[in-house]
Amino acid sequence: MNVTHHLTTFCFVALRAYILSPRVVLDFDSCNAAFGTIYKNTTDCAALEEEESVTLYTLREGGFVAIYFWACFIPFSMILWCYFNQRIAPVSGSTMPLMMQSDSSQTSWTQTGYKGFGSMSSSIGLFLYLLTMITLFGYQILLGLTTIFYYIQQDAITWFRPVFEDEIQVLKVHAITWGVGFFYTILLKWPTSIRSVFYRRSTLADATHVAVMTPRAQEKMAEETSSRLKAIKSVITVIKNAVTRVMSFIYCDRRATDLDFDVAYCPVEIDGNGIRHFFFRLRRYNFDDKSQLYIPGSIVVGETLNDYLRLRSGLDSMEVPKRRSVVGANTIKMTRPIFIVTMISEFSKFFYTYQVFMIWTWFPLWYYYMACVQSVIVFTGGLVVSIFRYRNERNLYRITRVTGNVSVLRDGVVNTVSHTELVPGDVVVVEPGMAYADMIVLSGNDIIVDEAALTGESTPIAKVAVDAAEGNAVYTYMSHKRHSISAGTRIVEAQGIMAVVLSTGSHTSKGEMLRDILTYQRHQFKFDAEVKVVVGILALYAIFGFTLTVLLYKDDFAFEWYYGMFVVGTSLPPLLPTVFTVSVGISDDRLARKRIACVNNEDILVAGKVRRVFFDKTGTLTKQGLDFIGASADGKLDTGRAKLSGNLLLGMATCHNLKLSSKGLLVGNNVDHNMFVATGTDLSQSSDGSVSLTLNDGTCVTVLKRFEFDHHRMTQSAIVQRSDGTVCVFVKGSGESIERLCLRNTIPENFYNNLENAAKQGIYQISLAMKELNYDAKSVVTLSRDNVENGLTFVGFINFKNQLREDTPDVLAQLGAGDVISTMVTGDNTLTGINIAREAGLIKEDEEIIFGKSVDSAGIITWVNEDGDVTSLPSVGKIKNRSIALAVTGKVWAALNAESQGNASALAPFIRVFGRCTPLDKVSVIESFVSNGTTCCMVGDGGNDCGALKAAHIGIALSDAEASVVAPFTSLDKSITSVVEVLKEGRCALASALASYKYMIIYGQVESINQIANAYFSVTFHEWCWVFMDGIWMMSMAFALSLAHAETRLSPKRPTSSLL
């Protein structure tokens, strides 16, 4: 059939009709009757000729058959490889136990050897891995191509010719690609690493990678676990186990797919000495030829102080490489964060897969407007989260990066080497600057260290050398802090100081801190458990809606599938996780403007459920430091500044660890500083570090020896030589400790009353005692602490006052109005804590106090009232009805737990003051409340609170120390008002996020019903109507809720975290 022939015929017929017919104007119907057949034949002929010139494809073409084969071959090959690797040809001994520490016997960790792609035996695995990844990205390319083909078919793209038969065919191809690609991608999301699936199992001796498998930490709930929530978790566990069994069958390895375990694939490295090793959680593990296992690389330099003193001559140069091959270089091995890697990691998460594939369903059928809008929102949300993650990773990385040189003694010669070459046992010359390792001072006393980076302590601390007289003592950091220098601290002054390296790299206190941060697990709360159920319900509803739409639409299945997927997209909105990202991001930004740094912004949501806040006392509820208010030599409480004299003056002037800096400034503990200044004494220091003092009456004395404050003894002492040559020792410490060391006849009758009255008035009281020594100045150097701290004569009391912060009462009042209980947990005297609690409003004036004062050797606790009268502890019911507040010491709390944890948990909510608590006691208190489902917040200011800050659901550090990064929040202004701000923003973020969440879900239900009705009546809205409803309308409303500001004050009602 020829188009020219038809046109010629058409022209001839038209001309003949024009000549022969009358001159009238024909209407459309007449023209159509006369020429319609010719028009139709001409049009059909032109279309047929165009089709004959274009190659159109059907779904049975060879290219499609090849794609079908490829789509089946790749998953089958992967499953076959896993079966071969794990079942057919397993490697005996490839999986073995892994010790956490070199002295640990636990076997819950395992190590499994794999050969990477660099070995010949893994060439098949490499080939399959490349094919798998090409296929993974190939599905995305095919979806893009089929989308383009659709718009070519619709003549929207005119510079290419159609390649499919019709619109329905291209839609079917797009839908099939979507379905196969989606399930293929989900399948590959299950293993920890796609690459690792294709590694070949091998013995540990031949492995290029070691898979370290560790039990996943048990979820820590931020709220009380109800029976409904327990039932939900049980259902989730059943489903999780069923899916795990399926995936373990596919991958032939339950270990790689078990959700109760974490698996990390660590590359094996070989150092200059040929030692095979890998790093896991910053710690180095070395291959041991004897056991054929990887073991932790650590070196114990010594146990007693004498062990360290014997190392004064330094190491032999031949020994250094051996030690370095065990512990590695003196660095903390952390991969430098790269933003693009962080972003890829974020977008590789499971829900992004659903989001991306749902966006692909919107591109055809002229709905690409909405697809573009959703793409921008998803990408922006993921980008924001990636920026926050990258910022936190970069901050941690900066902490690990240090550079510098040190002077080290080896082979009897001092040489300058890089700090990375230090090994445990090295003797270094301590110089001003950064401390690159944990060390203990061997000789010299002229050293001042700024420990603010680790402890938050703003005052530099003087360090002294190990005392040879205490050589048999076992070294611990807490007992010998005075001799210890921690990595990461800054040495302000040092001259002629020699120190031995105790630990390097990740084994240092700084390394352990970073390990704690990297293994930190956010506490779970009700939403985390319920969201899985909600998503499951929505998924079932989406399947129901999809099925109903397909049945009602009455059209080709290609159109039915797409309209069904639109129902799925509205029933289970892909942007659900984004609303939480936006809400916490906005709150995080507002907190940052208030100078409150947030390490993990997801914890902002948990802050919205806080029910109890624990406060450290000194530096948190009260101002930093203590003010000297007076001293008493006669045993009576005296808060005046009477003129000091006699042994009281001499003891206050000498019993401390103060020293002069090179600038002539006093350096040391704040309490010691204020006490010394009150005496009006002048301190001078010779070049050898010896201290001489000139009292206000002109008398000169010399300090011969000092014993630092010991946390176990609770004492500090100094041996002094008077101007007449006589020698005596002064000892100060807590009243209870000094009383045990004094002769009974020297203790004043009202001693205990004075201690109690001082504590009740909030006075921090130190007792002072002394005794004469029958030794000359040279002999006292060899005296041990036990020789001098006994048989003492009581001298008097030294009184200090810790002033309350001006904003503390208002903060506690706001917390109380917000139904948040405030509790004090402090290392100070419990009665002092009670006084501060009364003054701050933490304990109300009308509340009766019962104090757990002490516990005897049999575990019997003595309870007293505020007047000191012994009383019995009422039942829990009576405590509640009589409005009683309890106070206990750390020892009493331990005794309560030892007697009955159930009883301790029942009494815990009524305890308002925990006194005399060690850092471990603080952690114990926090963990007790956490285990009972109480959402807790810990507020502290120093390194001693790090354990408690980490144990609580929310930690707020009033410090800019590096150690404070273990807390989710840091108040850069060190203001207690930050607590209220964090809780307000937490409630705001939780309320707005859940409101947005519920809005999107409810909107989805309404919209899905609308779509199903449209399918039934075979009608629909214009594309831009859908864009307005599903895009502008829904998203603007949902995200506008996140812009809500926090209330100015806390409300008595917390927002719910429940979706059910």
Side-chain angles (χ1 to χ4, degrees), residues 813-863:
Q814 289 192 56
L815 292 175
D819 192 30
V820 177
I821 301 172
S822 299
T823 304
M824 182 190 298
V825 52
T826 177
D828 287 346
N829 186 288
T830 310
L831 289 173
T832 303
I834 293 173
N835 175 269
I836 295 296
R838 286 280 199 198
E839 186 179 349
L842 190 147
I843 298 177
K844 302 296 185 292
E845 291 295 332
D846 59 346
E847 285 186 295
E848 179 185 352
I849 295 178
I850 296 181
F851 169 34
K853 186 176 182 180
S854 60
V855 56
D856 60 21
S857 57
I860 305 301
I861 299 172
T862 301
W863 297 91

Side-chain angles (χ1 to χ4, degrees), residues 321-396:
K322 297 178 182 178
R323 299 198 176 199
R324 189 176 298 117
S325 65
V326 175
V327 297
N330 180 31
T331 58
I332 298 176
K333 190 177 178 63
M334 182 178 288
T335 304
R336 183 186 183 92
I338 301 173
F339 179 72
I340 189 65
V341 174
T342 303
M343 191 167 68
I344 292 174
S345 173
E346 176 63 27
F347 281 100
S348 297
K349 292 181 178 179
F350 182 84
F351 211 85
Y352 285 102
T353 300
Y354 173 71
Q355 290 176 321
V356 169
F357 275 90
M358 286 307 300
I359 289 172
W360 278 121
T361 65
W362 295 322
F363 270 108
L365 296 180
W366 296 93
Y367 203 34
Y368 64 88
Y369 313 100
M370 193 61 208
C372 293
V373 172
Q374 297 273 24
S375 299
V376 171
I377 293 175
V378 170
F379 179 77
T380 303
L383 184 64
V384 170
V385 176
S386 301
I387 291 172
F388 282 122
R389 282 185 55 190
Y390 175 72
R391 184 184 65 183
N392 295 334
E393 292 171 358
R394 184 184 59 188
N395 290 339
L396 284 180

Side-chain angles (χ1 to χ4, degrees), residues 217 220 281 511-524 603 606 614 919 922-927 930 936-940 942-957 963-969:
K220 301 176 286 185
R281 293 181 182 174
E512 293 292 349
M513 176 193 73
L514 290 170
R515 279 167 53 85
D516 285 342
I517 295 171
L518 292 176
T519 56
Y520 171 77
Q521 182 186 18
R522 181 178 73 85
H523 292 262
Q524 305 293 303
D603 286 311
V606 183
F614 292 89
K922 293 181 180 181
V923 173
S924 172
V925 170
I926 300 292
E927 289 180 343
V930 169
C936 300
C937 171
M938 175 66 194
V939 186
N944 289 337
D945 300 320
C946 283
L949 289 170
K950 184 181 177 184
H953 297 102
I954 294 297
I956 303 176
S964 67
V965 296
V966 301
F969 300 94

Side-chain angles (χ1 to χ4, degrees), residues 18-33:
Y18 177 77
I19 296 172
L20 298 178
S21 63
R23 297 300 186 266
V24 294
V25 179
L26 299 178
D27 58 13
F28 174 79
D29 292 335
S30 300
C31 288
N32 187 49

Side-chain angles (χ1 to χ4, degrees), residues 794-1032:
F794 180 79
V795 174
F797 299 103
I798 309 169
N799 302 315
F800 300 86
K801 181 71 173 180
N802 206 190
Q803 302 296 335
L804 200 67
R805 286 177 183 255
E806 290 82 357
D807 46 7
T808 294
D810 181 61
V811 168
L812 297 184
Q814 289 192 56
L815 292 175
D819 192 30
V820 177
I821 301 172
S822 299
T823 304
M824 182 190 298
V825 52
T826 177
D828 287 346
N829 186 288
T830 310
L831 289 173
T832 303
I834 293 173
N835 175 269
I836 295 296
R838 286 280 199 198
E839 186 179 349
L842 190 147
I843 298 177
K844 302 296 185 292
E845 291 295 332
D846 59 346
E847 285 186 295
E848 179 185 352
I849 295 178
I850 296 181
F851 169 34
K853 186 176 182 180
S854 60
V855 56
D856 60 21
S857 57
I860 305 301
I861 299 172
T862 301
W863 297 91
V864 299
N865 57 26
E866 282 190 270
D867 297 326
D869 300 327
V870 177
T871 185
S872 60
L873 180 67
S875 65
V876 172
K878 290 182 178 179
I879 292 175
K880 186 183 300 183
N881 295 332
R882 288 169 51 186
S883 185
I884 296 175
L886 302 181
V888 298
T889 64
K891 291 183 179 179
V892 170
W893 171 251
L896 286 172
N897 276 287
E899 179 185 356
S900 171
Q901 289 189 351
N903 185 44
S905 298
L907 292 174
F910 305 100
I911 302 176
R912 307 302 293 277
V913 176
F914 294 85
R916 291 294 186 210
C917 287
T918 65
L920 291 179
D921 289 333
K922 293 181 180 181
V923 173
S924 172
V925 170
I926 300 292
E927 289 180 343
S928 175
F929 281 87
V930 169
S931 63
N932 289 331
T934 302
T935 310
C936 300
C937 171
M938 175 66 194
V939 186
D941 71 322
N944 289 337
D945 300 320
C946 283
L949 289 170
K950 184 181 177 184
H953 297 102
I954 294 297
I956 303 176
L958 309 184
S959 170
D960 54 4
E962 286 182 357
S964 67
V965 296
V966 301
F969 300 94
T970 300
S971 174
L972 301 179
D973 290 333
K974 305 178 184 179
S975 171
I976 194 174
T977 58
S978 301
V979 179
V980 177
E981 296 298 334
V982 169
L983 265 58
K984 288 194 300 184
E985 286 296 342
R987 293 186 179 188
C988 176
L990 185 59
S992 61
L994 282 174
S996 301
Y997 202 86
K998 291 178 180 179
Y999 173 80
M1000 293 190 74
I1001 291 176
I1002 294 172
Y1003 179 87
Q1005 309 314 301
V1006 174
E1007 184 69 5
S1008 62
I1009 294 173
N1010 174 39
Q1011 291 171 328
I1012 293 172
N1014 286 344
Y1016 177 76
F1017 291 107
S1018 298
V1019 296
T1020 187
F1021 294 99
H1022 190 274
E1023 288 88 352
W1024 281 104
C1025 292
W1026 288 115
V1027 170
F1028 175 77
M1029 290 187 295
D1030 291 351
I1032 300 173

Side-chain angles (χ1 to χ4, degrees), residues 451-672:
E451 297 183 330
L454 288 183
T455 66
E457 178 63 51
S458 58
T459 306
I461 303 297
K463 302 288 184 178
V464 297
V466 170
D467 184 3
E470 302 288 331
N472 292 326
V474 176
Y475 172 81
T476 61
Y477 176 78
M478 291 303 297
S479 299
H480 302 91
K481 190 183 297 186
R482 184 77 171 158
H483 313 306
S484 305
I485 302 175
S486 298
T489 58
R490 183 164 296 279
I491 298 164
V492 180
E493 293 182 9
Q495 186 175 358
I497 306 297
M498 303 296 289
V500 62
V501 175
L502 303 181
S503 54
T504 58
S506 65
H507 295 275
T508 62
S509 53
K510 181 178 179 179
E512 293 292 349
M513 176 193 73
L514 290 170
R515 279 167 53 85
D516 285 342
I517 295 171
L518 292 176
T519 56
Y520 171 77
Q521 182 186 18
R522 181 178 73 85
H523 292 262
Q524 305 293 303
F525 68 127
K526 194 177 296 182
F527 165 81
D528 294 292
E530 291 185 348
V531 70
K532 300 171 185 176
V533 178
V534 171
V535 170
I537 294 173
L538 293 178
L540 292 175
Y541 176 79
I543 294 172
F544 170 77
F546 175 87
T547 305
L548 192 59
T549 302
V550 170
L551 294 176
L552 295 176
Y553 197 68
K554 306 298 184 184
D555 203 332
D556 192 278
F557 181 76
F559 294 107
E560 293 173 352
W561 186 88
Y562 279 95
Y563 279 98
M565 290 307 297
F566 294 159
V567 173
V568 172
T570 52
S571 301
L572 184 57
L575 296 181
L576 276 179
T578 309
V579 297
F580 281 89
T581 301
V582 173
S583 294
V584 299
I586 292 172
S587 291
D588 190 7
D589 183 65
R590 287 199 288 252
L591 288 174
R593 290 200 296 266
K594 296 174 182 177
R595 291 184 54 77
I596 300 173
C598 179
V599 175
N600 184 2
N601 57 20
E602 290 183 359
D603 286 311
I604 296 176
L605 296 173
V606 183
K609 298 298 292 182
V610 167
R611 292 181 175 273
R612 184 177 290 260
V613 178
F614 292 89
F615 291 94
D616 182 33
K617 182 179 77 68
T618 306
T620 304
L621 293 173
T622 63
K623 296 178 181 178
Q624 191 68 260
L626 297 167
D627 297 331
F628 175 77
I629 60 173
S632 172
D634 55 5
K636 295 181 180 180
L637 183 62
D638 179 15
T639 58
R641 286 180 173 269
K643 186 177 181 180
L644 302 171
S645 61
N647 286 330
L648 181 59
L649 171 64
L650 184 58
M652 291 175 59
T654 58
C655 192
H656 53 74
N657 285 316
L658 298 176
K659 64 183 303 180
L660 289 177
S661 68
S662 59
K663 298 179 180 179
L665 301 176
L666 285 173
V667 176
N669 181 271
N670 175 266
V671 173
D672 286 347

